[in-house]
Every structure is written in structure tokens, then in C-alpha cells.
Amino acid sequence: MTERADPYGIHLSEAARDYLTAFRRRFPRQDRLENHGLAAGNGSFQPMTDTNDTDSDAQNYTNVNLEAAHYAAPDSIAWTFLVRTDGKLSRDVGRRAFMAAAGATLAAGMAGGAAAQSGGSQLNFGYDLLSDPWITGDVTVETHEPDFDAFDYIADDESVQSLAGATLADREDEDTPHNPIRIRGDLIDIDDYRRFPADLTTTNSDDEEVDASALDAEFWTTDESGSTGTISVTEEDDALNIAATGQAAGDTATATFSDFTIGDGEQRRVLQLVANVNELAADAVVSVRVVDAAGNEVVATIDSSADSSADDVIATAQGSGHIFQTQLGDMPGGPDLDTIEEVVVDVSEADADVTFHGFNLESSSRWQFGNRERVNSDEELVTETVYEQTGWFGITELSTLYDTDRFANAVLEEVRYDAAFRVSELPSSYVEFEFEDSGRDDYSRRMRYVYNFKFPSAYSLSITLNTWYDEVVFQYPSDRYMAMEVATGLSEQVALDGTDDVEWTSRTSTYTGASEGDDIELSGTPSSDSVLALHGDVLYRGSEEDSATSSAAMGPTGREGGGLLSTWLGKIGAVLSALGLAGLANAFRGS
């Protein structure tokens, strides 16, 4: 039977498929060796350095568990695992032998459907007796692209990075609305904001026909005949600004857009606006009038004296991100509309300045700005879709915004997160620990650890930390916590064998004086400008150590894994790490 180089359910590049096929041909299955090798306790395997490197340049694979496999067949595989080494890679293993072992890892990972993990090298933060310290904070990401995950940001070298350790803040309780992500209507860039009217075009500087929009100033006309002041229509970064200045009581200046016709379903159409009210002088009124061929109209206003809850009121004060969406048939005069032909913006009585970021009149459905939780009049917690809002507003998840067709390709110009930085979400290089004999009968094992929090700096990223917490996880804390201490303002991460060189602040009494389940404060003034470290010395029973280091079905630091796909990517990542391609390995692993 012909062997498949492309495993079931996994799609490889041509280069990877060619390499895997060549490897299988060069290193065919040998049944007589099935009970030999590392799995049977025979032989040894040493990592290597490139023979062109000096000793000082040798790579140290302290945190790499190279998975070397005996290749058997696509549906029959015997895995072997190498123990962790703190030594430098030996020169005694040549490149060909090393590539063979790496190839075995790839081939076996592709061929076998199940694999064990190298247990004991990771912490299981899902275990009840292993706490997961966290720091609350506020994170602002300047640009969020459609394919970004939460907390992804653009680094100063233009690469896309994930903010290490960051998670959405926990909800306060089951009865309180939890909307940890905040966005603003005018800071969303979508084509749909500029899609009206659908068939409008213009000519660019290269004499090419391109799509145009009601937000293009060239299609508007102005009339200052009823005013002692002036009115201007200009473009500002894909938005339309209309401003009237020098006006007095009784004055009215107008701007008109008429390059469209809506001849059917007029009452079903929705007047959709996203606007910033930059200036609204006392007594000034801005009216957006939708007018048909017979002069019938509906009017939506910006007026400081209007009722903000009325269906025809856009805003009553200056502010950014006013979202207005009302069906024309529900507005006064709406049932009479027949063949809509123009939109007129009037500024009367005094000066006003408004920037329109979104303008649509052709759609019969509203923009959906994600889901949020709120408490209704019956004091019940409910989830609703955001249709109208002023300024910043919270939503439950970004996916509730992106799941709608009209926002699928949205670029968010600023996203604000209520965040919690958790040890369980940190890269494994930030966490160092060891278990050793305690010399006691009641708690035979002693866990010493250092958890480091380190925060990146980037132009497009802002981090403000609030409070550093931990949870007391033992029924009798004074029996368990031997020493607990923190350090702030550090310039680099602390290694477990370097704790004597750090000036620590003891928090032992904070732990031992608390009760099981208490959240205790480690620092009320942490700063993202420096490294923060927690050093612990805690007693465990032997069976508890097994549970604390169990990594079955867990991610890099004990989180639950991502299923079959992440398993395959982890295998590929192991190969790449073994080859020294750590950056590419992280891309496969998602870390």
C-alpha cells in the first residue's frame, strides 16, 4: 500500500510533504526494532550544537523536551520521550543524526493519532491546591484588525504580537453586568459606513472610476443665503465635517446631498448615522432632513433642549461616537415619504460643528455593535444587541461584533480591555519551579517557585496595572506557606537560583493570616514599566505534587489545550524548537 505523506485531516505545504515523504523512504520501518530504543530503556540520545558554533555560542535547550519517536506506520506508532537536560548540546551528534531525530518527531506526529505529553515539566493551574496569581489592569490597543485575537497588538517592528498573560477580567458576580471590552462607534472603520449610495462613483487623480459616498464632500452643495455666517463641508480622514460659524439668532445655513434616489420601500429604510458633535453652541440646532420628491420629510435633530429618549433625536450635547439608527416609517412624517431624493443638513440659531463617520439611508436593517449585558426593569441580567449608544460602551466579546456580516472586516481604531494578567497564561519562560524533599513527615514535598510578570512596550499599546492578587488555597495556610515574598521595580526576570540576589518584601503573614478561598492583595501599586516577581516556598504532600504537575490535556502552563489541531501544531512546534527555530515554533504553537 502506498504511504500517505499528507496525513488524514492535516494539510501540509508542498515542501513539508516532500520532506516527510523523503524521510519515510530514507528511514523505513524496521519491525525488528519495535521493542528497542529509548522506550525500552536502551541507548541514549544527546542534543547537539551546530559544529560551526563556538562553545560560547552553543544553544541551551533547558526548557525544550525533544520528542523523538520510533516511526512505525501511519496508524501504529511507539512514542519515546527524552528527559529534560540542563546541559549544552553535545558536539558528538552530527547534523545528519539530529535531522533524523527531528524528522522522526515530525513523521511520528503526523502518523500517530495519539501522543502522551512529557509529564512533570508543567504546572497544572487547574488544580485546586495551586493558586494562579493575577494582576488587574486596563489595556488599550490602538489598532485591532479583523483577524486579531483579543489583546493582539502591533509592535514597533510592525509584527503582530499577543500580550503575554492577558485575559479578560473575571466577572464580579452572576448578577452584575460583565462587559469587559469597550469600543466607540466613530473609532470603527467599515466599508458599510461609506456605502451609501451604492451606485455612486467618482473619478480619481488617475482618471479612473472609483466608488464614492455621501461622505465625500464633492457631492454636497451649500447655501448661506439665510445666514450672516458661513457653512463649510470638508473631508476629514474618510469622514464628512459640516460646520457653521458666525451665526446669530434666526440664521440658518444648509448643506445638501442629492446624488441618489430611493424609489421603493421608503418606510423600511433606516436613517443610520455615526457622528461626533464637536461644537454645539447654546441654542444651536442641527437638523438632518430626509426629503422626498413632493417635499415630504422626516427630521432627526441635534439639540441641547430636546428629549434625548425621543426617536428623532441624534444627540443633545457635544460628544464623540453618537450612534443613531431609526426606521424612517417610525419617525414623524415617515409614512408619507415617496421617492426620497435628497438629504439636507441645517444648522440654525447659532454655531455648530459635526463630523459624520457613518451615513447610510439605503439599508432596511440596523448596524449591530456587539452584545452587552444589562439589568432590566425586573432586575434580571439580560444580554442585548447594541444598536444606539453615545461614547464608549462595553460589550461581552469582540466576536459578537465581528460575527455580523456588516462588521466582519471592521478595523477598530482603539479597543479598551478590562484585563487580568494571570500566571497560568504566561509563557513558560516566565515561570520556574522545583519540588524537593521537605524533610518532614506530614508534608513530604516542598515546592519553590518564581513567577515573573513582564510587560512589553509599544506605541500602539497602553497598560495600566491596578492591583496584584493571589488566592489562599489551603485550609490551614500557616501549615503550608513557608515563605511568600514579592519584588517590584525589577529590570529583569528572576531565576529560581537567583532569588538571593533580589530584595524581596515578605507577604508570608498575609497568606498565613488569611483563610482558604480569600483573595489577598500583594501590591496596590504595581507598574507595567518593570518586572514583578513572586517567590514562593510551599509545602505539599507527594500525591499533591503529582496533581500540581499533571499536564495531560493542558497547554504550555497548565491551561486546557485547544484540541486536535493544537496537538498537531504542537508536534510541528517541537520539531522547529529542536532545530533552533523558536520564533517559527511559537507561530505553530500559538504562543
Side-chain angles (χ1 to χ4, degrees):
M1 182 178 70
T2 303
E3 293 179 0
R4 289 173 55 90
D6 196 347
Y8 288 96
I10 304 297
H11 300 287
L12 303 179
S13 68
E14 288 297 323
R17 185 183 297 108
D18 292 344
Y19 176 81
L20 182 56
T21 302
F23 177 84
R24 286 176 171 172
R25 290 171 181 162
R26 190 172 183 83
F27 299 93
R29 171 182 174 177
Q30 300 183 50
D31 292 335
R32 63 188 180 85
L33 298 179
E34 183 143 29
N35 294 318
H36 293 71
L38 294 173
N42 301 315
S44 64
F45 189 95
Q46 293 180 315
M48 70 152 205
T49 52
D50 191 312
T51 54
N52 293 325
D53 291 341
T54 65
D55 286 335
S56 62
D57 291 331
Q59 297 184 56
N60 189 314
Y61 280 78
T62 300
N63 294 317
V64 174
N65 295 290
L66 177 63
E67 299 173 310
H70 162 59
Y71 165 59
D75 52 357
S76 174
I77 187 66
W79 282 93
T80 59
F81 298 93
L82 300 179
V83 297
R84 180 172 174 169
T85 175
D86 290 330
K88 291 182 179 179
L89 301 182
S90 169
R91 295 179 181 273
D92 297 335
V93 178
R95 179 175 298 277
R96 182 172 177 273
F98 181 69
M99 291 301 292
T105 304
L106 178 60
M110 296 304 176
Q117 295 189 2
S118 50
S121 65
Q122 308 294 346
L123 289 175
N124 174 17
F125 285 97
Y127 179 46
D128 289 344
L129 298 185
L130 190 65
S131 69
D132 185 11
W134 72 98
I135 303 174
T136 60
D138 300 300
V139 175
T140 299
V141 174
E142 182 176 296
T143 302
H144 183 96
E145 300 282 351
D147 57 345
F148 282 15
D149 291 326
F151 297 104
D152 281 359
Y153 66 96
I154 299 174
D156 290 344
D157 63 0
E158 301 299 323
S159 65
V160 177
Q161 301 291 329
S162 181
L163 184 56
T167 65
L168 293 178
D170 291 340
R171 64 182 314 125
E172 182 177 341
D173 54 57
E174 294 302 319
D175 300 320
T176 302
H178 184 57
N179 301 301
I181 301 172
R182 295 186 301 284
I183 57 178
R184 208 173 76 190
D186 61 304
L187 298 178
I188 300 174
D189 183 6
I190 57 171
D191 293 340
D192 212 67
Y193 275 4
R194 298 178 51 84
R195 190 160 288 166
F196 165 69
D199 57 355
L200 185 65
T201 61
T202 188
T203 303
N204 64 16
S205 58
D206 296 324
D207 202 32
E208 299 170 332
E209 188 177 37
V210 295
D211 291 338
S213 153
L215 297 184
D216 293 326
E218 65 179 285
F219 297 103
W220 289 76
T221 60
T222 59
D223 182 359
E224 302 169 348
S225 60
S227 174
T228 58
T230 60
I231 189 169
S232 63
V233 180
T234 57
E235 294 176 37
E236 297 179 353
D237 298 328
D238 290 333
L240 183 79
N241 178 260
I242 298 177
T245 59
Q247 294 211 121
D251 286 353
T252 298
T254 66
T256 302
F257 174 75
S258 58
D259 284 84
F260 74 102
T261 300
I262 299 176
D264 63 87
E266 293 87 350
Q267 285 70 33
R268 295 195 307 271
R269 311 293 177 167
V270 178
L271 175 58
Q272 298 180 281
L273 302 171
V274 176
N276 291 357
V277 182
N278 308 310
E279 179 187 6
L280 187 65
D283 298 325
V285 176
V286 179
S287 301
V288 178
R289 298 191 288 121
V290 179
V291 187
D292 72 4
N296 300 311
E297 65 179 24
V298 297
V299 182
T301 61
I302 302 172
D303 184 353
S304 60
S305 61
D307 179 1
S308 60
S309 64
D311 289 340
D312 57 353
V313 174
I314 302 169
T316 59
Q318 291 179 203
S320 299
H322 295 279
I323 303 171
F324 177 85
Q325 302 188 89
T326 300
Q327 200 165 44
L328 297 181
D330 292 334
M331 299 174 67
D336 299 327
L337 291 176
D338 184 12
T339 310
I340 302 169
E341 292 186 340
E342 65 179 13
V343 174
V344 180
V345 177
D346 293 340
V347 182
S348 58
E349 303 299 330
D351 295 348
D353 184 319
V354 180
T355 300
F356 295 95
H357 292 266
F359 197 143
N360 201 333
L361 194 57
E362 290 178 326
S363 177
S364 58
S365 64
R366 296 179 293 175
W367 291 314
Q368 299 178 40
F369 291 87
N371 292 345
R372 67 179 168 199
E373 294 182 354
R374 71 175 182 88
V375 176
N376 64 16
S377 58
D378 296 326
E379 298 186 354
E380 298 171 330
L381 186 65
V382 296
T383 300
E384 65 181 11
T385 299
V386 179
Y387 293 107
E388 293 192 347
Q389 184 67 45
T390 296
W392 291 97
F393 58 94
I395 58 176
T396 57
E397 295 180 86
L398 285 173
S399 62
T400 65
L401 174 75
Y402 281 104
D403 284 347
T404 61
D405 290 341
R406 298 169 79 178
F407 283 89
N409 295 314
V411 175
L412 310 183
E413 296 179 20
E414 188 173 327
V415 181
R416 298 179 179 180
Y417 299 94
D418 295 336
F421 293 88
R422 291 190 171 276
V423 171
S424 62
E425 299 295 329
L426 292 171
S428 57
S429 60
Y430 289 36
V431 176
E432 192 171 349
F433 71 96
E434 66 179 9
F435 277 89
E436 58 188 38
D437 290 336
S438 68
R440 297 175 49 155
D441 294 331
D442 50 355
Y443 303 108
S444 61
R445 303 294 286 167
R446 171 188 179 191
M447 177 186 171
R448 294 182 57 247
Y449 61 84
V450 175
Y451 299 154
N452 292 279
F453 289 93
K454 184 179 180 180
F455 305 92
S457 175
Y459 179 80
S460 65
L461 178 68
S462 174
I463 303 172
T464 301
L465 301 182
N466 298 326
T467 308
W468 187 2
Y469 294 100
D470 198 1
E471 179 187 2
V472 175
V473 294
F474 298 109
Q475 185 176 8
Y476 303 107
S478 59
D479 293 345
R480 300 289 196 127
Y481 296 107
M482 303 293 289
M484 302 297 295
E485 48 194 9
V486 299
T488 60
L490 302 174
S491 59
E492 59 184 15
Q493 292 180 209
V494 180
L496 194 55
D497 60 3
T499 56
D500 291 341
D501 302 326
V502 176
E503 183 176 342
W504 298 96
T505 299
S506 176
R507 288 288 184 266
T508 306
S509 61
T510 305
Y511 282 85
T512 59
S515 299
E516 181 181 16
D518 285 354
D519 292 342
I520 57 174
E521 183 176 313
L522 301 182
S523 174
T525 57
S527 172
S528 63
D529 295 332
S530 61
V531 176
L532 313 172
L534 172 63
H535 179 213
D537 190 347
V538 184
L539 294 175
Y540 283 90
R541 298 184 177 92
S543 60
E544 294 170 348
E545 176 187 351
D546 294 339
S547 297
T549 56
S550 172
S551 59
M554 296 295 170
T557 53
R559 308 188 294 278
E560 293 184 3
L564 178 61
L565 180 59
S566 60
T567 299
W568 288 118
L569 297 183
K571 302 299 178 196
I572 299 172
V575 176
L576 297 173
S577 290
L579 297 177
L581 303 176
L584 190 54
N586 287 340
F588 274 94
R589 289 181 172 130
S591 61

